[in-house]
Amino acid sequence: MTDETELLVGGLRVPELLLRVIREDRWVAPNDPALLASIFGETPQQPTFYKVNGMVRENESWHSEMEPETREWYVGSKSMESPPGDIDPARSLLIGDMGPDQPFALDYRTSDLDPSVVYLRSDNGWVEIAPNIRSLLSLLGVA
């Protein structure tokens, strides 16, 4: 960490707005499963929004070498029907999950400064749930 407003995880800059809501203890999963289902497209199992330490820990394994079968399942494949369909672990940061094997992440392939937010749906791979963290926070009622 270089200062209070910048954090790099796996070489990727965590958006300042996300850091602020984490530090203000506002980055928490809402208690409303219907709200989460409306955003993520499926009912959450055990939603967890990662704090800084959790984000660092989860992304250490995400950015490391995975077994080929595991990598293929998590990375997915491109989809025109439900973009993006896939993800690049080296260009993404896990920021939470809706339950086991249901992560959501910042996808830096679109922008280094304003990444989109994607979610691994159980039925059709990675889908964009928000164009950026500001939009997600607005949908969640946090910002």
Side-chain angles (χ1 to χ4, degrees), residues 13-21 26-27 39 95 105-106 113-117 129-143:
R13 186 182 148 275
V14 178
E16 184 178 330
L17 179 58
L18 178 57
L19 278 179
R20 184 168 56 238
V21 297
R26 294 186 296 136
W27 182 242
I39 296 168
I95 58 173
L106 297 173
L113 299 176
D114 200 24
S116 63
V117 185
I129 58 168
N132 55 37
I133 194 66
R134 180 174 305 284
S135 295
L136 177 62
L137 293 172
S138 178
L139 292 168
L140 291 167
V142 175

Side-chain angles (χ1 to χ4, degrees), residues 19-132:
L19 278 179
R20 184 168 56 238
V21 297
I22 289 171
R23 291 189 174 119
E24 293 171 355
D25 284 328
R26 294 186 296 136
W27 182 242
V28 295
N31 289 325
D32 182 355
L35 172 63
L36 290 172
S38 73
I39 296 168
F40 290 85
E42 52 191 19
T43 305
Q45 303 298 314
Q46 299 169 300
T48 304
F49 288 30
Y50 304 148
K51 304 297 186 204
V52 171
N53 290 342
M55 196 180 303
V56 170
R57 182 181 59 252
E58 292 293 328
N59 282 285
E60 282 176 0
S61 60
W62 181 243
H63 292 144
S64 67
E65 289 299 314
M66 292 182 236
E67 295 293 323
E69 304 82 31
T70 303
R71 181 176 179 80
E72 184 178 324
W73 189 86
Y74 276 108
V75 169
S77 57
K78 287 197 180 304
S79 170
M80 298 307 250
E81 295 82 33
S82 300
D86 68 342
I87 197 165
D88 178 356
R91 298 284 300 139
S92 60
L93 284 179
L94 300 178
I95 58 173
D97 62 67
M98 289 292 106
D101 297 324
Q102 296 177 291
F104 59 101
L106 297 173
D107 186 351
Y108 289 81
R109 293 177 296 179
T110 56
S111 170
D112 285 334
L113 299 176
D114 200 24
S116 63
V117 185
V118 295
Y119 169 63
L120 181 57
R121 273 205 196 132
S122 56
D123 61 347
N124 61 350
W126 291 94
V127 294
E128 182 176 300
I129 58 168
N132 55 37

